[in-house]
Amino acid sequence: MLAPDDAELLARAPGLEGAWRLLDPEAATALVHEAAHPSVGRGLRVTVDYLRYKPSTSLVAGLRVDTSDGARWAFAVAGSRGHAAKLTKHVSTDVGVPDGFVPRVTRDLVLVAPLRADPRLKAALRVMSRPFLVVEHAEAAEVLRYRPHRRLVVRVDGASGPLAVVRGYPGPAARTMLAACRSLSRAGLPVPRPRGLRRGGRLVVFEHLPGVAASDGTDPALLAAAGALLARVQGVAPHRRLTELDCAHLAQGSLGAVHALVPDSLALAEAVVGRSLDRLAAAPGGAPVTAHGDFSADQLLVHEHGVSLLDLDRAAADGPAGDPASWFAAEAVAGRWDAGADPREALAPLLDTLFTCGPSRPAAPTRRHVDETLRARTALALLARVPEPFRVRAPGAPWADRCRGLVEAAARQVGLT
């Protein structure tokens, strides 16, 4: 049964006839059951791991399918009648029985297919079937993260344990991330050392790092360690391949998401963007630094020697307040901080070590720039995460109210409410 928020969303997008199948958990399970080979068994459990919505055009879902033999991955796309040909061409894809699924398109235009049929990640999928061709002595591969058509992260194992992590992309955008990793690694920072590019830059192979993923980003000790690490990152001059982050451009993408998901909050979101960009323009100019671009607790590995930094997909040249704002927004979306609170207070342990652990940069100008821009950057970071409650669903929690709450919190950050 559709939740009220999902029913309202689909009422605004009548062209996506079959999208309800991906928003109703029971319907999503039935969809996979219909496409699954009998060898998979009937006791499978389907979880919609990820959603990406383009109004009146498509709804894309990443599906985790737990079976008696372990987890398998698939994707589904609900499309409009105008995109029927794009969906049906995948039905003839030969992916074999091992995946346990046959690509299938329903009458109301929902494609469901195994991960190995993903048309934009063909180079990345090579590591799933023949990992030894990508990493020497590899024997098996396990999916760590899958974003249909956009990204696949795989751990490759050998006889004695993990050998490497392979990240796959639809195009050579991986070169920017690789440049950032090499730059930071050469400076002695704890980041995965890249072992090379494969398949024209569509695959990047990294060493496997031991450790435990950080969880609670509000822990003072973790915040202090994150600030010290961030100081070292910002102390490395931005690599020439890193482009300078364009806040105005990113904000337009955020407004598009607000319009698609909670259109009644669009006017307030537009006001937030205008106020935030004005404040950033009025702030004293700060030289761009190397930035992670998606800094949060789940991008850190904790180990006996401290913390390591992962996932530099969005590395850029940016102002020093960008990454702290990203951390605050991630914790706010997770419900561990009040999204409208002063980030300077919540992030105090992180900011203290950021300002005092820099290798050679004067702390005073950095502190002043962060003080004057952090709330505006936090407002933009909160808007950027408005789709998160929709994409990653909390059971029983209405996602639309949470999306609106993020817009309202962003407005509080810049004094609009």
Side-chain angles (χ1 to χ4, degrees), residues 101-125:
F101 299 91
V102 177
R104 177 179 180 274
V105 176
T106 65
R107 290 183 178 180
D108 50 4
L109 291 182
V110 179
L111 165 69
V112 60
L115 181 155
R116 293 192 200 193
D118 192 316
R120 301 198 63 198
L121 292 174
K122 291 182 179 179
L125 296 172

Side-chain angles (χ1 to χ4, degrees), residues 4-64:
D5 286 348
D6 292 326
E8 183 178 340
L9 178 74
L10 295 183
R12 299 196 300 267
L16 299 179
E17 300 173 30
W20 64 275
R21 295 178 182 269
L22 308 183
L23 299 175
D24 181 342
E26 294 182 359
T29 298
L31 182 69
V32 174
H33 269 294
E34 292 168 7
H37 188 273
S39 63
V40 175
R42 310 313 294 174
L44 55 83
R45 182 168 61 89
V46 178
T47 303
V48 178
D49 183 66
Y50 174 78
L51 287 169
R52 186 170 68 249
Y53 173 56
K54 189 173 181 181
S56 300
T57 302
S58 65
L59 177 66
V60 179
L63 306 175
R64 177 187 170 107

Side-chain angles (χ1 to χ4, degrees), residues 252-314:
Q252 289 305 308
S254 300
L255 292 177
V258 172
H259 181 254
L261 297 174
V262 281
D264 53 336
S265 295
L266 180 61
L268 181 58
E270 289 174 336
V272 170
V273 169
R275 176 72 62 86
S276 300
L277 295 179
D278 286 347
R279 288 193 175 182
L280 294 176
V289 298
T290 299
H292 180 277
D294 189 25
F295 196 53
S296 62
D298 61 4
Q299 308 289 9
L300 299 184
L301 273 182
V302 181
H303 46 79
E304 59 181 335
H305 302 296
V307 294
S308 299
L309 184 62
L310 305 174
D311 296 355
L312 287 150
D313 294 63
R314 300 182 188 176

Side-chain angles (χ1 to χ4, degrees), residues 90-97 103 116:
H90 299 298
V91 173
S92 61
T93 302
D94 180 16
V95 296
V97 175
R116 293 192 200 193

Side-chain angles (χ1 to χ4, degrees), residues 134-331:
V134 180
V135 178
E136 191 176 5
H137 306 305
E139 297 182 0
E142 179 178 341
V143 174
L144 300 180
R145 181 171 296 182
Y146 173 49
R147 298 293 181 254
H149 308 344
R150 292 191 174 183
R151 181 173 52 167
L152 177 66
V153 183
V154 176
R155 191 190 70 224
V156 177
D157 299 335
S160 58
L163 296 176
V165 171
V166 180
R167 305 175 68 87
Y169 303 86
R175 294 184 183 275
T176 299
M177 179 189 62
L178 185 63
C181 286
R182 283 177 171 162
S183 177
L184 295 176
S185 180
R186 287 168 183 162
L189 272 82
V191 297
R193 287 196 298 270
R195 294 168 54 173
L197 287 175
R198 302 284 190 278
R199 311 296 293 177
R202 290 173 173 81
L203 288 179
V204 188
V205 181
F206 291 97
E207 66 172 346
H208 176 267
L209 290 180
V212 178
S215 55
D216 184 0
T218 68
D219 176 64
L222 181 63
L223 284 166
L229 178 59
L230 189 57
R232 296 178 63 192
V233 172
Q234 294 189 359
V236 177
H239 191 279
R240 59 182 175 80
R241 283 189 180 272
L242 297 186
T243 57
E244 188 166 350
L245 192 100
D246 185 342
C247 289
H249 176 74
L250 292 179
Q252 289 305 308
S254 300
L255 292 177
V258 172
H259 181 254
L261 297 174
V262 281
D264 53 336
S265 295
L266 180 61
L268 181 58
E270 289 174 336
V272 170
V273 169
R275 176 72 62 86
S276 300
L277 295 179
D278 286 347
R279 288 193 175 182
L280 294 176
V289 298
T290 299
H292 180 277
D294 189 25
F295 196 53
S296 62
D298 61 4
Q299 308 289 9
L300 299 184
L301 273 182
V302 181
H303 46 79
E304 59 181 335
H305 302 296
V307 294
S308 299
L309 184 62
L310 305 174
D311 296 355
L312 287 150
D313 294 63
R314 300 182 188 176
D318 193 12
D323 278 342
S326 173
W327 186 291
F328 178 89
E331 292 302 307

